[in-house]
Amino acid sequence: MLNRRYVRGLLLILSIVVVCAPGCGLLQQNQSPEELFSRALSGIAGKETLSFDGEAGLRRESSGLFENQFKFEGKLENHDRLTLQTRLPGAVTPVGTGSNGVNAAAVNNNGQPSGFSASFERKQGQWMALTAEHEPLRGSLSRFNPIAQMESIDRLNKTIKSEYGSGRRTKILRIELAPKDAKTWALAQLQDEMNAIRAEYMHKASNVKGASQEKLEKDLNKVWEQGEASMEQMMKQADVQTVYHLTVDRKTSLPLRLSSESQVDYKDMNNKSNKEALVTDVNFRSYK
């Protein structure tokens, strides 16, 4: 009898240790990829501050080379306030904001702007730009917010699988968006960028003096409408495939890295087939 009680006691203690031991990884091994993604999203949503750095580039199938490459960095403060800063080749400027959320003083040695920064604030689950609508790159920068990317992924139809090659300390998830959702989301982001470009140039046109202002605004509206119609026509027939790879810390469930490739197959206005891919890679750090 004593031996049976002793054995039962040992088994009970052992079960408690297995369940409660931090970082043992046994529970996480039993979690589905969907649950791991949910924990990673919840983990990053609960942080007051964090920082990240990343890079992005456009690759065309015709050349196989990256175009329009640039680096960026960001900092989250007070849980809901995010500043994004581009870092153009040959120049590095600190992340910082003015009263309107724009760092207009960033210049390189030639006196030209070396980068651009914009601030965003999360309100009712949506990231709202604090910069003026006419500021350059305002629309483009918003799509490189990795926190907003993860929040959007959570709302979209997708397939999540565990990737081979994960280490002891990390878990890699492969997240592929449903083609229809990937296309709808890509079009929405392109339209935001188009609207930002239009606002920027209409603002410049408003500063033109004299009778030529009205003509300039009319011409700009015409060009913008033609561009928007062309983009919508190409995207209507396009195929979009978007895949993310999320690296998660096994112990904390926090995201360590988020990379993506969004590939678009489309035909241009001359009915010529094209294939482009937007590639991004972000590393998270300094969680608090």
Side-chain angles (χ1 to χ4, degrees):
M1 181 69 66
L2 180 62
N3 288 338
R4 287 185 178 179
R5 291 180 178 177
Y6 179 72
V7 171
R8 287 178 181 174
L10 282 179
L11 290 175
L12 178 60
I13 293 173
L14 180 60
S15 64
I16 294 174
V17 170
V18 169
V19 171
C20 298
C24 67
L26 293 180
L27 288 180
Q28 291 197 12
Q29 288 179 6
N30 295 327
Q31 288 181 332
S32 68
E34 291 79 8
E35 288 172 332
L36 287 173
F37 175 79
S38 181
R39 284 176 62 90
L41 182 60
S42 297
I44 200 171
K47 293 300 178 182
E48 286 291 325
T49 64
L50 64 87
S51 58
F52 57 84
D53 54 73
E55 54 187 324
L58 182 68
R59 186 180 66 235
R60 300 184 190 277
E61 185 186 46
S62 57
S63 64
L65 302 175
F66 279 99
E67 303 175 13
N68 304 320
Q69 286 180 274
F70 71 97
K71 295 183 178 183
F72 58 93
E73 57 188 23
K75 187 174 184 180
L76 178 73
E77 297 178 296
N78 299 323
H79 190 74
D80 294 318
R81 178 71 178 259
L82 178 74
T83 303
L84 277 169
Q85 168 79 53
T86 62
R87 294 192 288 131
L88 301 184
V92 176
T93 53
V95 173
T97 59
S99 58
N100 62 351
V102 180
N103 181 4
V107 295
N108 60 21
N109 293 333
N110 297 322
Q112 299 298 319
S114 62
F116 179 83
S117 68
S119 292
F120 302 86
E121 187 171 5
R122 182 165 42 195
K123 297 180 179 179
Q124 298 180 342
Q126 299 294 323
W127 289 93
M128 310 298 294
L130 300 180
T131 54
E133 289 187 357
H134 62 267
E135 292 295 341
L137 297 181
R138 173 182 181 271
S140 298
L141 275 180
S142 62
R143 72 184 302 175
F144 298 107
N145 175 356
I147 304 175
Q149 292 281 304
M150 290 185 61
E151 292 170 346
S152 295
I153 291 171
D154 188 49
R155 295 190 292 265
L156 299 172
N157 293 314
K158 57 195 170 290
T159 301
I160 307 179
K161 297 180 179 179
S162 295
E163 192 86 320
Y164 292 108
S166 300
R168 287 186 175 182
R169 298 182 179 179
T170 60
K171 187 74 173 179
I172 301 176
L173 302 178
R174 183 184 188 276
I175 307 165
E176 182 170 358
L177 302 185
K180 183 178 179 181
D181 284 33
K183 183 175 179 177
T184 300
W185 192 26
L187 180 58
Q189 292 179 96
L190 288 172
Q191 287 175 331
D192 286 344
E193 293 184 14
M194 288 284 289
N195 289 333
I197 293 172
R198 178 177 182 269
E200 176 188 350
Y201 281 94
M202 292 302 290
H203 176 74
K204 292 180 178 179
S206 67
N207 293 325
V208 175
K209 306 299 181 182
S212 58
Q213 177 183 335
E214 183 177 351
K215 182 179 183 305
L216 180 57
E217 290 179 345
K218 185 177 180 180
D219 290 343
L220 285 173
N221 264 324
K222 183 178 180 180
V223 171
W224 180 80
E225 289 172 358
Q226 291 175 342
E228 185 181 44
S230 298
M231 180 190 69
E232 290 183 352
Q233 180 62 29
M234 288 188 291
M235 287 298 293
K236 185 177 181 180
Q237 303 175 15
D239 293 320
V240 181
Q241 182 182 28
T242 301
V243 176
Y244 285 87
H245 284 90
L246 177 66
T247 303
V248 180
D249 186 299
R250 287 181 183 269
K251 184 176 181 180
T252 65
S253 296
L254 289 172
L256 299 178
R257 182 182 182 185
L258 179 67
S259 59
S260 71
E261 179 169 333
S262 185
Q263 184 173 285
V264 182
D265 295 310
Y266 67 95
K267 291 184 178 181
D268 59 23
M269 302 310 294
N270 297 319
N271 207 36
K272 180 181 178 181
S273 296
N274 292 271
K275 183 180 291 186
E276 298 178 356
L278 176 65
V279 180
T280 65
D281 191 9
V282 175
N283 290 284
F284 295 93
R285 48 188 169 81
S286 304
Y287 282 108
K288 291 183 181 179

